[in-house]
Amino acid sequence: MRTFFFIVLCFLAIGNTSVFSQKKTDATLVANDTLKSNDIDPLTPAKAAFYSAILPGLGQAYNKKYWKIPIVYGAIGVSMYYYIDSSQKYHQYRDAYKRRLEGFTDDEFSYLDNDRLISAQKFYQRNKDFSALFVVGFYVLNIIDANVDAALKQFNINENLSVKPDVHLNDVTFKANVGLTLNYNF
């Protein structure tokens, strides 16, 4: 019974004292977001893609990647050249075959028989189709490249987040152990 009174007396003594753990102040603290950048424009990728769709290479110029413009025009230009060349040769073989069906044998392919003329037509038709596919593919790739490059240009790249390959020598077997290190600094 004595211990019970002692415990109650201790709680009453501690309960009467005032304890303030926080001091009231008028100043408020505002935390600034360090990850958010002020120079991010969410429409930049759409603008770059639109410019590349209007004129191939213009989106790369908008992104200030001028070294990509000759690659874009080279890829589209070479594909367009092969399309035009295959189309011309297809028409030459087709016209020669039509003349053969009409009974003329004085064409430039007089050394070829009709089966060879038909196979040449099929060959150049297939090449023309593939070249057209490559022209459209490089045009679309140009638009995608401008869009992705503009989107990736807005990312914050610094040494706080890095991935580095690492090679360690094993102490027991003296063989090299290859690893990957991911570092994130605050």
Side-chain angles (χ1 to χ4, degrees), residues 134-155:
F134 280 120
V135 168
V136 171
F138 284 130
Y139 177 75
V140 170
L141 192 62
N142 157 54
I143 296 170
I144 292 171
D145 174 62
N147 188 328
V148 170
D149 193 30
L152 291 178
K153 193 164 96 172
Q154 297 180 3
F155 281 99

Side-chain angles (χ1 to χ4, degrees), residues 25-75:
T25 59
D26 292 335
T28 58
L29 296 175
V30 176
N32 292 330
D33 189 6
T34 59
L35 296 177
K36 191 174 185 180
S37 177
N38 293 335
D39 59 345
I40 292 178
D41 183 14
L43 293 179
T44 300
K47 286 180 186 176
F50 177 73
Y51 292 152
S52 272
I54 295 296
L55 180 68
L58 195 59
Q60 282 76 11
Y62 177 75
N63 292 333
K64 296 186 175 110
K65 301 285 183 167
Y66 302 111
W67 62 273
K68 291 183 180 182
I69 297 172
I71 295 171
V72 168
Y73 280 108

Side-chain angles (χ1 to χ4, degrees), residues 79 83 127-137:
S79 300
Y83 175 79
N127 284 354
K128 186 173 84 166
D129 293 343
F130 277 135
S131 296
L133 184 67
F134 280 120
V135 168
V136 171

Side-chain angles (χ1 to χ4, degrees), residues 74-140:
I76 294 174
V78 167
S79 300
M80 186 64 75
Y81 168 78
Y82 281 114
Y83 175 79
I84 292 169
D85 185 54
S86 295
S87 179
Q88 288 174 349
K89 289 184 180 179
Y90 167 76
H91 287 293
Q92 285 176 350
Y93 283 104
R94 187 191 68 180
D95 292 342
Y97 181 68
K98 283 182 177 181
R99 285 183 53 86
R100 291 266 178 94
L101 292 178
E102 291 174 358
F104 298 106
T105 58
D106 60 343
D107 55 23
E108 60 185 313
F109 303 112
S110 60
Y111 56 92
L112 295 177
D113 59 347
N114 289 345
D115 292 335
R116 299 270 182 183
L117 289 176
I118 292 171
S119 66
Q121 287 179 51
K122 289 179 183 177
F123 174 76
Y124 285 114
Q125 178 66 40
R126 191 182 81 213
N127 284 354
K128 186 173 84 166
D129 293 343
F130 277 135
S131 296
L133 184 67
F134 280 120
V135 168
V136 171
F138 284 130
Y139 177 75
V140 170

